[in-house]
């Protein structure tokens, strides 16, 4: 497809769907689908039909609307009224209400701040487009960046734009994306690969999933742009098989894009060709690690290998490979459409742009949010998140999942940036954010994450294979009031060894939840050890039974 | 010169370490004048005495009796030496550890017994769930692995201790 | 893609040495008589960097790197011995003893075992962490060999020699984390394996008593010298 034809589709589609049209948008991402939003959508369609041709109502599926815990969610336009916990029985009432006042009992309580404090780039289309319709994406300026870049920028200029944007990898490490692209672009050899890491395995994380389900074309466009910039012709999306809706929509999106010649040979009339394949992962957390992921695509057992060499040099089938996270790719098209300087205008000096978080735990508004970097934890938790339920006291916020740490109250006014989070012993991670209040025991939290690491360790290297199991046993001992101070010293020693000697990031970061809780909540460990007491009242003490007969 | 009060103890082991001790042969004569052997399977003494300078322990901690014994010994000893693999690693006695205690007793006294099949209750002390190396139960000051440790190693350890030094065995580690 | 090998210089523990860019730190160290301990590595098999015994410090890198799997670069400064490295290496050996059931006194490989040698090398006189005493399997179904998981350290030498040299790929790894085990075929008994050619390469490269020839009594299983990790071959030649 040529640029002109693309523009035409966009205009036609926009004309057919003016913002003034009465529209009911139903979230069709996993959270709402799991509480029957597809039934709600069917019921709304039926109700709209009954309404007759004189006052047409458009019913459409859209992406994740953020307040996932209150689904099924429906937005009524014009007016952007947000309805929550909608049931199929409510359909007729909602359809009728498009002409009158909103249905009060279903309107979500004033969530002004929840939305107004957010900044949408990655999620800009979530409430706008039907993820299964390529025309919707095109009408939202989709594929514009791809076709204009192909004709107006050289690969080097494309990478320059990305460097200017200051974008850093959203898969956890925060490696500068422009730098990674230019390394792969410079790597010798004509055969190169692009991989989109959609293995998202952190417990409680669903940022990438939401992007894939809500706006799949955005990923395809980002990957194609990457292919153009680094000189690759093939891309793989590695998705966990536990995301069936994402897989289905990705496959649909790929076939739609191929049909419109936005993927495949000579894209946009240029000499650039690019194809994308979906590969399924079996849900091993470690397969999100880039070298394990590559081994898995190659059909081998998904275990990491030592780096260097890095994938940029020797990746898939030993060829230079660019691997980026879903959210990283989701930023690309918007950056190239609006320019690197525009993007760099959001966030802070070292952490540009926005970040998507999955807010969970002891907080009023759980769900998916996108915020500008540099926002404080307090704003996220108390403004957007609506604070802690039940008037209980905040204790800590966990970021970075099993590789991250717990941040206590005294740092609530700290800006959310890669460096500042690292300074207090946590990490940005991929976007999990779990809020804990006074009823959470920090030893128990550390134990939970260690159990996760222990069972997700691939078992290849000794320190992680044995160390995580030993640390888990020690944490059990502590939480049950059976431990001594010597056990605590041993735990700290093992943390040090496992962190510094493990082969891959899983083992290297597995001690982090322990180290960070020890740093800020050592008194809780000591209460378990010296007084056989769990201050939060979570852990059950257990008198040792040495003798058996 | 005041003699060093030495004890040797035999927990769950095969007595091989004590044999190896005796294998020091004539070197024992060198040591003998400097020590007072206050407790040992080699001498007849029922109660473990107070104020022992050095206690050398062979064997792992397998039963309730072993457990009480080693705790008392630790309380009454300045320097505790774990002698041999059983004391250091639990070794052969520890081979039952992956299995349930009941299953082990059943194998020994029921399945493999030709006659009089029953698990004794009064002759053998209650077993611990797990056989443990000594240092998992009490603090150990000197480790002398080996099955058994050589007479040379034992002589080195005892000589160093008698000189008031903690022996450095890092160059002489030997298992099995 | 692969750039041709160049001659470079680097420093190993304050010694300046020459090397080729396609060599690993371990290869260059051994060429220059510098001892770096190894367990999973075996010359002739592809390095996997799994045991972490050979970790060295590289100035300017915030991570410790496995000497067996890291290529040298120009001007690299490598530290192969330090208090910290000794401490970590000993802990790795402790991990291996704690996670298996190593009853050396009754083991076929007693006194001819690379794991035992590592305990000696790192001065590990006892464990400072609890033993796990896992319940593990012994497979004596093969006519000539025995596999004993209690003594396996998951170095994957058997896996690699079988796949890379013999070409049979009988061995592989099953399970994750602390549950990982080496298996024959699709976890069938070794004696029923369709792919095993009974060449005994795996038995010879196994650093411990995990793979042995049937009928051996304690301490009788000696592996052929040229199959041992090179450092230990050197050591034996010396003595
Ligand atoms: C144990 C482990 C799991 C990981 N899981 C993921 C994942 O699910 N998704 C992801 O994008 N990156 C994951 N990563 C990071 C990747 O290895 C890699 O750094 C990332 O995909 C690079 O993309 P980025 O530069 O866009 O962040 C994981 C890393 C480790 C060590
Ligand atoms: S650190 Fe853990 S997950 Fe990573 S290679 Fe080692 S065992 Fe596998
Ligand atoms: S394999 Fe080695 S360390 Fe393990 S029991 Fe046998 S001799 Fe001892
Ligand atoms: S059986 Fe031997 S060679 Fe194979 S992984 Fe275990 S220890 Fe290594
Ligand atoms: S990691 Fe290098 S020898 Fe095992």
């Amino acid at each position: 497809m040529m640029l002109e034809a693309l523009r035409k589709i966009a205009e036609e589609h926009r004309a057919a769907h003016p913002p003034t049209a009465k529209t009911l948008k139903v979230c069709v991402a996993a959270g709402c689908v799991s509480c029957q939003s597809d039934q709600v959508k069917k019921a709304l369609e039926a109700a709209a039909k009954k309404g007759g041709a004189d006052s047409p109502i458009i019913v459409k599926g859209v992406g994740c609307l953020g307040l996932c815990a209150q689904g099924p969610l429906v937005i009524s336009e014009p007016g952007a009224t947000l309805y929550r916990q909608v049931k199929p029985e409510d359909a007729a009432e909602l359809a009728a209400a498009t002409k009158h006042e909103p249905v009060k009992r279903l309107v979500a309580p004033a969530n002004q701040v929840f939305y107004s404090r957010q900044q949408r780039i990655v999620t800009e289309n979530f409430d706008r487009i039907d993820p299964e319709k390529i025309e919707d994406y095109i009408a939202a300026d989709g594929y514009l960046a791809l076709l204009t870049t192909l004709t107006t920028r050289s690969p080097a200029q494309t990478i320059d734009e990305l460097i200017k944007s200051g974008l850093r990898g959203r898969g956890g490490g925060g490696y500068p994306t422009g730098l990674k692209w230019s390394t792969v672009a410079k790597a010798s050899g004509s055969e190169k690969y692009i991989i989109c890491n959609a293995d998202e395995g952190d417990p409680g994380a669903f940022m990438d999933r939401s992007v894939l389900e809500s706006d799949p074309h955005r990923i395809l466009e980002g990957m194609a742009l990457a292919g153009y910039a680094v000189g690759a012709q093939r891309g793989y999306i590695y998705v966990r098989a536990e995301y069936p809706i994402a897989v289905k929509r990705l496959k649909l999106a790929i076939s739609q894009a191929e049909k419109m010649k936005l993927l495949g040979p000579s894209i946009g009339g240029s000499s650039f060709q690019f194809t994308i394949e979906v590969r399924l992962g079996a849900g091993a957390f470690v397969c999100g690690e880039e070298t394990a992921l590559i081994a898995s695509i190659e059909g081998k057992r998904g275990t990491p290998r030592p780096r260097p060499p890095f994938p940029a040099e020797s990746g898939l089938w030993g060829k230079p490979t660019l691997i980026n996270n879903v959210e990283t790719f989701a930023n690309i098209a918007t950056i190239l459409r609006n320019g690197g300087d525009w993007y760099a205008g959001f966030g802070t000096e070292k952490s540009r742009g926005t970040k998507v978080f999955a807010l969970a735990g002891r907080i009023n508004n759980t769900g998916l949010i996108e915020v500008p970097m540099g926002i404080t934890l307090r704003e996220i938790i108390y403004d957007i998140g609506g604070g802690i339920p039940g008037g209980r006291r905040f204790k800590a916020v966990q970021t970075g999942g099993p590789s991250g740490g717990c941040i206590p109250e005294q740092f609530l006014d700290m800006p959310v940036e890669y460096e500042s989070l690292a300074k207090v012993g946590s990490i940005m991670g991929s976007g999990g954010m779990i809020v804990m209040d006074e009823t959470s025991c920090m030893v128990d939290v550390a134990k939970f994450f260690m159990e996760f690491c222990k069972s997700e360790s691939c078992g290849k290297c000794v320190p992680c294979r044995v160390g995580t199991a030993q640390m888990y046993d020690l944490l059990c001992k502590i939480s049950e009031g059976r431990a001594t101070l010597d056990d605590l010293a041993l735990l700290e020693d093992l943390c040090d060894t496992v962190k510094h000697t493990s082969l891959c990031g899983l083992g290297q970061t597995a001690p982090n939840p322990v180290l960070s809780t020890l740093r800020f909540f050592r008194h809780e460990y000591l209460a378990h050890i010296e007084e056989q007491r769990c201050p939060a009242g979570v852990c059950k003490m257990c008198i040792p039974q040495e003798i058996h007969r | 010169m005041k003699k060093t009060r030495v004890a040797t103890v035999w927990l769950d082991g095969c007595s091989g370490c004590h044999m190896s001790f005796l294998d020091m042969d004539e070197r024992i004569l060198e040591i003998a004048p400097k020590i007072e052997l206050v407790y040992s399977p080699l001498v007849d003494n029922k109660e473990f005495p107070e104020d022992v300078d050095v206690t050398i322990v062979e064997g792992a901690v397998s039963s309730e009796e072993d457990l009480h014994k080693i705790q008392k010994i630790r309380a009454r000893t300045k320097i505790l030496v774990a002698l041999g693999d059983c004391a250091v690693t639990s070794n052969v006695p520890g081979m039952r550890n992956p299995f349930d205690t009941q299953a082990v007793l059943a194998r020994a006294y029921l399945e493999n017994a030709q006659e009089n099949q029953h698990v004794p209750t009064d002759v053998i002390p209650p077993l611990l769930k797990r056989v443990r190396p000594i240092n998992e139960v009490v603090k150990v000051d000197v480790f002398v692995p080996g099955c058994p440790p050589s007479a040379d190693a034992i002589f080195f350890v005892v000589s160093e201790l008698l000189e008031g030094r903690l022996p450095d065995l890092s160059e002489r580690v030997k298992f099995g | 893609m692969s750039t041709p090998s160049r001659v470079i210089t680097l420093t190993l523990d304050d010694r300046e040495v020459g090397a080729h860019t396609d060599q690993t730190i371990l290869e260059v160290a051994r060429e220059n008589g510098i001892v770096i301990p190894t367990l999973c590595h075996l010359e002739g098999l592809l390095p996997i960097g799994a045991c972490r015994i050979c970790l060295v410090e590289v100035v300017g890198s915030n991570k410790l790197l496995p000497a067996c799997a890291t290529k040298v670069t120009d001007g690299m400064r490598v530290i192969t011995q330090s208090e910290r490295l000794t401490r970590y290496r000993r802990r790795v050996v402790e991990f291996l003893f704690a996670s298996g059931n190593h009853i050396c006194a009754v083991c076929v490989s007693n006194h001819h075992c690379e794991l035992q040698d590592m305990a000696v090398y790192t001065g590990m006189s006892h464990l400072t962490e609890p033993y796990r005493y896992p319940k593990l399997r012994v497979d004596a179904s093969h006519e000539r060999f025995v596999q004993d998981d209690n003594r396996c350290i998951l170095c994957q030498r058997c896996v690699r020699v079988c796949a890379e040299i013999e070409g049979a790929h009988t061995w592989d790894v099953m399970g994750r984390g602390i549950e990982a085990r080496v298996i024959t075929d699709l976890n069938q008994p070794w004696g029923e394996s369709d792919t095993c050619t009974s060449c005994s390469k795996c038995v010879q490269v196994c650093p411990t008593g995990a793979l042995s020839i049937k009928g051996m009594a304690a301490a009788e299983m000696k592996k052929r010298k040229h199959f041992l990790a090179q450092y230990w071959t050197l050591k034996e030649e010396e003595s």
Side-chain angles (χ1 to χ4, degrees):
Chain A
M1 172 168 318
M2 310 294 277
L3 191 54
E4 278 320 301
L6 187 81
R7 289 219 160 100
K8 194 154 160 260
I9 294 177
E11 269 153 32
E12 281 171 11
H13 197 76
R14 280 195 288 257
H17 298 81
T20 50
K22 292 193 172 57
T23 311
L24 288 169
K25 302 173 176 172
V26 188
C27 169
V28 291
C32 286
V33 169
S34 72
C35 40
Q36 267 87 52
S37 74
D38 45 347
Q39 302 295 329
V40 172
K41 186 168 167 242
K42 270 194 200 126
L44 285 172
E45 277 159 357
K49 236 185 226 157
K50 265 194 204 144
D54 48 324
S55 60
I57 301 171
I58 302 169
V59 175
K60 68 188 274 183
V62 291
C64 174
L65 297 175
L67 285 167
C68 307
Q70 304 186 33
L73 299 170
V74 174
I75 291 182
S76 173
E77 301 279 10
T81 311
L82 178 69
Y83 294 116
R84 57 157 189 177
Q85 288 164 3
V86 177
K87 294 194 185 61
E89 305 88 270
D90 303 325
E93 216 178 329
L94 290 193
T98 52
K99 294 175 227 160
H100 321 288
E101 289 293 290
V103 184
K104 279 232 172 61
R105 73 186 162 84
L106 292 175
V107 173
N111 272 305
Q112 292 304 332
V113 198
F114 180 80
Y115 289 108
S116 67
R117 294 304 281 274
Q118 298 195 43
Q119 177 66 52
R120 298 188 170 275
I121 295 177
V122 169
T123 60
E124 65 182 349
N125 288 341
F126 277 26
D127 63 349
R128 287 201 256 163
I129 69 167
D130 183 333
E132 301 195 353
K133 298 222 165 80
I134 190 169
E135 295 81 6
D136 263 27
Y137 180 66
I138 292 173
D141 288 339
Y143 290 110
L144 195 61
L146 177 62
L147 295 196
T148 39
T149 297
L150 288 180
T151 47
T152 60
R153 289 192 186 102
S154 69
Q157 286 169 327
T158 310
I159 293 175
D160 280 346
E161 210 59 51
L162 212 55
I163 291 174
K164 246 194 268 169
S165 76
L167 176 66
R168 293 169 67 171
R170 300 295 192 237
Y175 191 82
T177 307
L179 188 59
K180 201 188 253 186
W181 285 30
S182 65
T183 310
V184 181
K186 279 184 207 132
S188 49
S190 55
E191 213 182 319
K192 296 178 187 176
Y193 295 99
I194 307 290
I195 297 177
C196 172
N197 188 342
D199 194 53
E200 192 168 55
D202 289 25
F206 57 97
M207 301 75 55
D208 294 349
R209 173 185 202 156
S210 293
V211 175
L212 298 170
E213 290 176 350
S214 305
D215 198 358
H217 284 284
R218 172 177 289 270
I219 303 305
L220 309 186
E221 188 178 0
M223 290 176 72
L225 283 161
Y228 173 67
V230 306
Q233 278 132 37
R234 294 188 70 164
Y236 292 90
I237 307 178
Y238 187 88
V239 204
R240 44 199 289 134
E242 290 93 328
Y243 285 0
I245 301 180
V247 172
K248 182 184 129 214
R249 292 196 181 143
L250 279 172
K251 288 188 171 162
L252 180 67
I254 291 170
S255 71
Q256 289 171 342
E258 280 172 352
K259 225 174 262 159
M260 290 209 175
K261 303 206 169 3
L262 291 162
L263 286 178
S266 62
I267 298 172
S270 72
S271 60
F272 174 62
Q273 54 166 357
F274 196 72
T275 55
I276 297 178
E277 259 178 65
V278 174
R279 289 293 167 101
L280 298 192
F285 176 59
V286 74
C287 283
E289 196 279 337
E290 54 192 29
T291 59
L293 188 154
I294 287 169
S296 175
I297 293 184
E298 288 173 352
K300 301 189 191 128
R301 184 176 152 91
T303 56
R305 59 153 178 81
R307 301 174 308 173
F310 289 88
E313 218 183 299
S314 170
L316 190 60
W317 321 115
K319 308 289 182 215
T321 301
L322 173 77
I323 175 162
N324 274 130
N325 165 259
V326 168
E327 194 183 328
T328 313
F329 279 123
N331 276 296
I332 304 299
T334 317
I335 291 175
L336 292 175
R337 210 165 59 223
N338 298 335
D341 290 332
W342 169 83
Y343 189 83
F346 300 99
T348 63
E349 198 191 329
K350 287 201 173 143
S351 303
R352 304 285 185 190
T354 60
K355 178 81 196 81
V356 181
F357 287 102
L359 257 187
R362 309 276 160 76
I363 187 154
N364 279 314
N365 300 332
T366 56
L368 195 83
I369 60 168
E370 181 174 1
V371 290
M373 294 276 195
I375 191 171
T376 66
L377 288 166
R378 191 184 297 283
E379 288 170 287
I380 294 182
I381 294 164
Y382 286 94
D383 297 347
I384 299 174
I388 318 284
R392 284 191 297 268
R393 228 183 114 88
F394 170 89
K395 187 186 261 183
V397 53
Q398 213 278 350
T399 66
S403 317
C406 294
I407 304 168
E409 192 166 10
Q410 71 250 44
F411 299 113
L412 272 182
D413 291 309
M414 197 183 72
V416 172
E417 293 171 307
Y418 288 97
E419 278 71 23
S420 59
L421 289 172
K423 215 182 285 166
V424 297
S426 190
I427 57 166
M428 177 78 73
S430 55
M433 194 176 267
I434 304 168
V435 179
M436 296 162 192
D437 66 18
E438 57 203 347
T439 61
S440 313
C441 165
M442 300 319 265
V443 176
D444 190 57
V445 168
K447 193 177 101 181
F448 168 82
F449 284 115
M450 192 56 77
E451 184 172 19
F452 179 83
C453 291
K454 169 191 148 186
S455 51
E456 292 298 330
S457 161
C458 80
K460 178 172 178 177
C461 76
V462 180
C464 172
R465 176 175 82 233
V466 187
T468 53
Q470 295 286 60
M471 289 191 286
Y472 173 71
D473 286 359
L474 285 167
L475 286 164
C476 287
K477 216 169 157 189
I478 294 173
S479 76
E480 290 167 14
R482 296 183 285 122
T484 62
L485 290 174
D486 285 344
D487 289 321
L488 184 62
L490 175 62
L491 176 65
E492 294 190 273
D493 189 61
L494 297 189
C495 281
D496 175 63
T497 306
V498 174
K499 189 181 169 87
H500 291 106
T501 59
S502 291
L503 194 164
C504 86
L506 193 157
Q508 287 160 8
T509 59
N512 285 355
V514 180
L515 290 169
S516 96
T517 47
L518 270 171
R519 178 165 161 195
F520 299 118
F521 301 94
R522 199 180 187 89
H523 52 276
E524 291 197 21
Y525 283 81
L526 294 178
H528 286 78
I529 294 168
E530 294 177 324
E531 305 163 32
Q532 283 80 47
R533 184 174 67 82
C534 174
V538 173
C539 305
K540 283 202 188 67
M541 298 299 134
C542 160
I543 309 305
Q545 274 241 315
E546 192 56 82
I547 297 154
H548 180 106
R549 216 174 90 176
Chain B
M1 198 186 80
K2 190 178 163 291
K3 288 187 175 186
T4 307
R5 287 165 62 80
V6 174
T8 76
V9 182
W10 177 13
L11 301 181
D12 195 358
C14 70
S15 90
C17 294
H18 273 85
M19 297 299 170
S20 199
F21 194 101
L22 297 177
D23 280 344
M24 280 194 276
D25 299 334
E26 72 283 356
R27 285 177 289 184
I28 290 188
L29 300 177
E30 222 173 282
I31 293 170
K34 300 181 193 159
I35 67 170
E36 181 189 350
L37 194 59
V38 292
Y39 181 93
S40 170
L42 309 170
V43 298
D44 191 20
N45 192 341
K46 293 280 171 286
E47 175 66 13
F48 192 86
E50 304 273 354
D51 279 334
V52 181
D53 294 311
V54 174
T55 302
I56 299 171
V57 186
E58 167 193 334
V61 184
S62 291
S63 65
E64 198 172 349
E65 189 195 3
D66 295 340
L67 182 66
H68 293 158
K69 233 188 207 168
I70 195 70
Q71 281 163 345
K72 185 192 271 181
I73 289 166
R74 178 69 266 188
R76 297 178 176 186
T77 302
K78 284 202 197 80
I79 291 174
L80 190 69
V81 181
L83 184 69
D85 279 356
C86 296
V88 175
T89 76
S90 89
N91 201 27
V92 174
M95 284 172 87
R96 77 162 162 89
N97 282 346
F99 307 94
D100 185 58
T101 320
Q102 299 298 341
V104 171
L105 289 170
R107 173 63 66 91
Y109 292 101
L110 306 176
E111 291 162 39
N112 289 343
Q114 309 289 314
E115 52 199 71
N116 193 16
Q117 294 178 338
H118 85 288
V119 177
T121 45
D122 39 325
V123 217
I124 62 162
L127 299 182
L128 302 185
K129 265 189 194 166
R130 271 187 170 187
V131 181
R132 301 195 168 278
I134 296 175
N135 69 317
E136 281 190 23
V137 182
V138 296
K139 182 173 173 291
V140 170
D141 303 294
V142 180
F143 295 87
V144 192
C147 186
S150 67
D152 286 352
I154 301 175
F155 179 71
F156 169 76
V157 168
V158 176
S159 312
E160 288 287 289
L161 288 172
L162 291 180
E163 292 296 321
R165 290 190 291 262
L166 269 189
D168 175 8
L169 275 138
S170 58
E171 303 285 304
R172 294 164 198 256
V173 173
K174 164 194 172 269
F175 288 91
Chain C
M1 218 228 86
S2 52
T3 36
S5 168
R6 286 180 299 121
V7 178
I8 53 160
T9 53
L10 65 150
T11 44
L12 291 178
D13 298 333
D14 298 327
R15 265 176 62 191
E16 196 150 294
V17 298
H20 290 271
T21 46
D22 60 357
Q23 287 184 296
T24 62
I25 297 174
L26 181 68
E27 283 165 349
V28 178
R30 283 181 175 169
E31 250 174 42
N32 289 279
I34 293 170
V35 171
I36 299 175
T38 55
L39 257 181
C40 67
H41 181 68
L42 190 64
E43 217 178 288
L45 301 181
L46 292 175
I48 56 171
C51 74
R52 318 305 283 169
I53 282 274
C54 72
L55 287 183
V56 294
E57 297 179 31
V58 173
V59 178
S61 162
N62 58 358
K63 300 236 159 93
L64 302 174
L65 296 172
C68 68
T70 308
K71 295 261 161 74
V72 292
T73 56
D74 199 13
M76 191 181 226
R77 280 161 50 215
V78 183
I79 298 162
T80 69
Q81 303 291 341
S82 70
E83 180 275 327
R84 188 169 163 238
L85 290 174
T86 308
R87 192 155 41 84
Y88 289 154
R89 287 169 183 163
R90 184 181 310 152
R91 179 61 73 190
V92 166
V93 178
E94 282 200 39
F95 278 148
L96 290 171
F97 275 96
S99 59
N101 292 301
H102 294 273
I103 322 291
C104 296
V106 296
C107 176
V108 286
S109 286
N110 194 13
H111 305 321
H112 315 287
C113 167
E114 290 182 43
L115 178 60
Q116 269 189 343
D117 290 344
M118 270 307 143
V120 175
Y121 176 86
T122 57
M124 189 207 84
S125 66
H126 66 287
L127 286 207
T128 60
E129 63 190 82
Y131 286 88
R132 302 187 61 80
Y133 302 115
K135 194 167 178 171
L136 296 168
R137 176 189 64 169
V138 178
D139 179 357
S141 62
H142 194 283
E143 184 184 4
R144 287 170 48 207
F145 314 128
V146 184
Q147 179 203 5
D148 186 346
D149 279 345
N150 292 286
R151 301 165 183 157
C152 173
I153 59 170
L154 281 165
C155 65
Q156 297 188 43
R157 285 194 197 173
C158 54
V159 178
R160 286 175 287 157
V161 80
C162 186
E164 295 168 20
I165 310 290
E166 179 64 5
H169 203 144
T170 300
W171 294 97
D172 215 320
V173 182
M174 182 181 85
R176 275 190 223 164
I178 196 78
E179 310 285 334
R181 305 278 170 262
V182 287
I183 51 162
T184 40
D185 286 352
L186 296 168
N187 200 23
Q188 280 120 333
W190 194 357
E192 291 166 26
S193 164
D194 297 328
T195 55
C196 172
T197 63
S198 301
C199 73
S200 93
K201 288 190 178 69
C202 57
V203 175
Q204 294 302 334
V205 299
C206 176
T208 70
L211 299 181
S212 62
I213 291 174
K214 220 176 221 178
M216 293 274 177
E220 280 185 359
M221 183 71 221
K222 287 189 193 174
K223 313 269 162 130
R224 280 190 237 153
K225 257 189 199 162
H226 56 276
F227 279 120
L228 297 176
Q230 195 190 344
Y231 164 62
W232 308 105
T233 327
L234 287 177
K235 196 186 73 167
E236 295 207 345
E237 275 163 11
E238 267 167 32
S239 59

